[in-house]
Amino acid sequence: MHKTDLLVVVRYPEADMAELERHYTLHVLSDTTDHAALLANVEPLIRAVATNGEAGAGAELIDALPQLEIIVSYGVGVDAIDLAHAAKRGIRVTNTPDVLTGDVADMGMGLMLAIARHIPGNDRVVRDGQWGKATLPLATRMFGKRLGILGLGRVGRALARRAAAFDMSIAYHDRVHFNDTGYTYRENAVALARDSDFLVICAAADRESHASVSREVLDALGADGILVNIARGSIVDEPVLLDYLTTRRIRGAALDVFWNEPSIDPGFAELDNVVLQPHRSSATVETRAAMGQLVRENLRAFFEDEPLVTEYPTH
Ligand code: 8YV
C-alpha cells in the first residue's frame, strides 16, 4: 500500500515515530545536516509538515515546499511558525492546546516552590555532605503571597486555580480584561509586577510580547520579587534579567525557557539565585502521549478531508 509522505522537522519520541510510520513514509529533517538536499528530494511529495514548538516552521522551510498545505505542531506555542508566511500561501496550522495545560501549570507551581524554598540548592547541600556544616540561608514563604500572572490564557488560569489552594492573592495582566474571573486586573506588566511577590509569565510569544518583561517590569518587581517563566524566553529582556539577577535587584528567577535554546547564556549557570530547566514543562509521559495523538489526529483529519481537531487561526 502506498503511504503518504510526511516531513518531520524534529524526531518525536520513539512511540510517536512508530505510530506515524504505520501510516506515512517519514522524511526526518533532523536526521540530516544537508537540509537542502533532503528538501529538494522530497519537495514534490510533501503536503504536510510535522514539527514541534521549538523548531516550528520558518519562511525558508515553507518556501522550500511548494506543495505544502498544512503545518502540524506538537506544542501549543506557534511563535516559531511563520504564521504570516503560512497565511499568504493558504497553509493551515494546527497545534496541541489543552492537553498540556495542567502540566505546564504544575511546572509553574513547582518552579515557584523550588526557587522560593531553595529546593535544588538544599538538595545539593545534602548530596555534598554539607548538612550540619554549611549555614543555610532561610528561604522565602510562598503560601499567602501575591501572585502576578502575565497572560491569563489556559495555562495562566490553571496556575491561578492551583495558587488559590496556596492562599495566594491573584492578579493578572493580559491584553484582554476578562470579566469572568475574580482575579484583580492590572493594566500593564509594570503595574502587575509592582503588586507581585511572584511574577509568572504564562503569555503567548509574538512580536508584541517580545522582551516585554523589561527593565521597568523588573524594577517594579523589586529586590524581593521572584520571576518565573514557563512560556517563552523571548518575552523577557534576557540580558537585563541576567544583570538584575547578578546584582540582586530581584530576588531570583526560575526559568524553563530561554533565548537561544539549548545554547543558553552561560551566565545563568554562574548564579545561585536561579532554578534552571531545559524546557520541560509539558514533558510528562501522559501529556506527551496526548500531544502525539493530537498530532496524528490532525494529520489524519487533514488527509481524509475532515475538519481539523485544533486548527490555529492564521489570520
Ligand atoms: C514543548 C512547547 O516543549 O507547547 C509548547 O509550545 O514549547 C512545549 O510544550 C514542545 O513543543 C515539544 O517539542
Side-chain angles (χ1 to χ4, degrees), residues 149-153 172-178 185-187:
I149 301 177
L150 201 52
L152 199 68
Y172 73 98
H173 170 67
D174 193 288
R175 283 167 207 163
V176 182
H177 180 172
F178 298 102
Y185 178 72
R186 294 282 175 247
E187 58 287 354

Side-chain angles (χ1 to χ4, degrees), residues 268-280:
F268 281 112
E270 303 293 315
L271 298 169
D272 62 5
N273 52 351
V274 294
V275 172
L276 310 174
Q277 288 286 299
H279 201 142
R280 299 304 281 168

